[in-house]
Amino acid sequence: EKAGGPRSSMSGIDMNQAMAFLAAQQNQAGGAAAAPVVLTEEEKAEKRTQLVAAAKEASEALQQPENAAKILAAQTFAAGDMMKFFMMAIPVAVEILSPVVAKHGYSADQAGCMALVAELQKHKDDAEIKSMADKISKTFTPPPMQMPGMPAAPVDEGAD
């Protein structure tokens, strides 16, 4: 550690300067961070109920035969190519999920869909929510990256 504060061993960044910079950015953006919201047990239960409802509707929308076929077609077209996945599969999933996420207070776009997934993933200790979150997340997660000259990873058509 040098005089004047700790430094990152990998990049030589002065951590005190970095923290001061972040604090200044936060102050310019409207002040200190908001205090964490503390929910009552009743509010937590209501939030969970709403989240489970959103997850069930999203899962059901993705599993409808017409929608599942659209997703599978886009994933198959991408064939392990991450760029094709982001260009084809993500927009299909967003199109399918937009009405559901909008109904539950999220924006009806990719950001809203990702916000729902992120909220679901905060509940990884809840088996019911985790199961639905994993299924929904698969729709937004690209397959393993295909290396040039290597065969694409197969699409698991039997996955649920």
Side-chain angles (χ1 to χ4, degrees):
E1 194 173 306
K2 290 185 173 184
R7 290 195 173 269
S8 165
S9 61
M10 292 179 59
S11 63
I13 295 173
D14 182 323
M15 296 309 287
N16 290 332
Q17 287 178 339
M19 295 303 289
F21 174 78
L22 291 173
Q25 292 297 102
Q26 190 174 34
N27 287 335
Q28 288 178 356
V37 176
V38 179
L39 301 176
T40 65
E41 290 304 313
E42 185 176 308
E43 290 169 328
K44 288 178 187 177
E46 177 61 25
K47 184 175 181 178
R48 183 190 183 281
T49 299
Q50 292 171 354
L51 195 57
V52 167
K56 282 182 180 177
E57 288 179 43
S59 293
E60 289 168 3
L62 293 169
Q63 293 172 6
Q64 288 177 3
E66 179 182 314
N67 293 338
K70 285 181 185 180
I71 292 168
L72 181 59
Q75 290 173 337
T76 301
F77 177 79
D81 182 318
M82 191 179 300
M83 291 304 291
K84 286 182 183 176
F85 180 87
F86 283 112
M87 290 174 18
M88 300 299 294
I90 297 285
V92 170
V94 169
E95 175 187 326
I96 293 165
L97 292 176
S98 288
V100 174
V101 298
K103 177 181 173 184
H104 291 279
Y106 299 92
S107 60
D109 55 13
Q110 184 174 343
C113 294
M114 300 309 286
L116 173 62
V117 169
E119 187 64 30
L120 291 170
Q121 290 176 342
K122 289 179 185 177
H123 299 270
K124 61 184 174 221
D125 294 335
D126 184 314
E128 181 182 19
I129 293 176
K130 183 181 183 325
S131 173
M132 289 184 284
D134 290 347
K135 289 177 183 178
I136 295 167
S137 294
K138 284 182 183 180
T139 310
F140 291 96
T141 306
M145 194 167 161
Q146 180 179 348
M147 300 302 289
M150 301 293 291
V155 175
D156 185 359
E157 294 182 23
D160 45 287

